Amino acid sequence: MNYIFLADGFEEIEAVTTIDLLRRAGVELTTVSVTGAIRVRGAHNIYVETDRLFADTDFSDANMLILPGGGVMLGDYPDFCALIQKHNAEDKLIAAICAAPAVLGKLGVLRGKQATCYPGFESALGESYVGGLVVESKNVITAKGPGLSSDFAFCIIEKLRGAEVADEVYDAAQY
């Protein structure tokens, strides 16, 4: 199973675009609220009802963990941070876009890897920051910001389902 995490203030375009394209590709994806409420408010006051609450979810089947932008708030949740660190220690897949790579940087997940992020968050990535639009390095995928939501999602689809499926969804979406 693959999980995408939402906290209040998440970037709607990054979360919903990623969710939509991954599900079109047949990726098993569960939306998870870390806030304790099933309904989460986005940065632009759009509410999304998640599939599950973090506290009620067993992540032992987790393949990929996805952090949408605005996800810098995810770093305020110790149990979530512990999950990210454990997942990384097991060399499992993690993807983050916009400001969310800053959480990975602060948790040490990006050591020895390359990454990108939204302008202004580069210092949290340290030596891992290389710029770029979408960067894949070892077990981590990062993307710069909202305008790259589709590119981010297609990179994840290719990683999880292969280039052929990514191309099919890309064509069907008229991208």
Side-chain angles (χ1 to χ4, degrees):
M1 181 59 66
N2 305 286
Y3 297 92
I4 187 166
F5 298 90
L6 303 181
D8 287 332
F10 72 91
E11 284 288 343
E12 295 95 339
I13 190 170
E14 295 164 357
V16 174
T17 298
T18 302
I19 293 163
D20 180 274
L21 291 172
L22 268 61
R23 288 185 174 171
R24 286 175 192 249
V27 171
E28 290 186 73
L29 181 67
T30 299
T31 59
V32 179
S33 168
V34 298
T35 69
I38 206 81
R39 228 174 136 227
V40 184
R41 183 184 51 80
H44 302 96
N45 294 315
I46 298 171
Y47 287 82
V48 170
E49 186 173 312
T50 60
D51 299 319
R52 305 182 113 172
L53 296 175
F54 185 92
D56 299 337
T57 306
D58 173 10
F59 296 101
S60 61
D61 66 345
N63 180 41
M64 179 180 272
L65 306 179
I66 304 168
L67 292 66
V72 72
M73 280 71 105
L74 292 168
D76 294 338
Y77 296 89
D79 291 341
F80 172 79
C81 292
L83 174 65
I84 291 291
Q85 289 174 311
K86 179 181 184 295
H87 202 72
N88 184 61
E90 295 171 357
D91 205 31
K92 292 183 178 179
L93 301 170
I94 300 170
I97 184 172
C98 200
V103 174
L104 303 182
K106 290 176 183 174
L107 294 174
V109 169
L110 300 177
R111 275 191 210 108
K113 299 170 186 157
Q114 297 181 329
T116 192
C117 64
Y118 193 79
F121 290 89
E122 300 89 347
S123 63
L125 277 60
E127 293 179 9
S128 295
Y129 179 76
V130 294
L133 302 178
V134 178
V135 176
E136 186 177 349
S137 182
K138 299 182 182 175
N139 64 316
V140 176
I141 297 169
T142 55
K144 193 167 189 161
L148 295 155
S149 298
S150 295
D151 298 87
F152 176 67
F154 285 120
C155 186
I156 293 170
I157 293 166
E158 188 168 332
K159 189 75 166 172
L160 296 175
R161 297 288 322 272
E164 186 176 318
V165 172
D167 288 344
E168 289 171 10
V169 176
Y170 184 91
D171 291 342
Q174 298 293 296
Y175 187 70

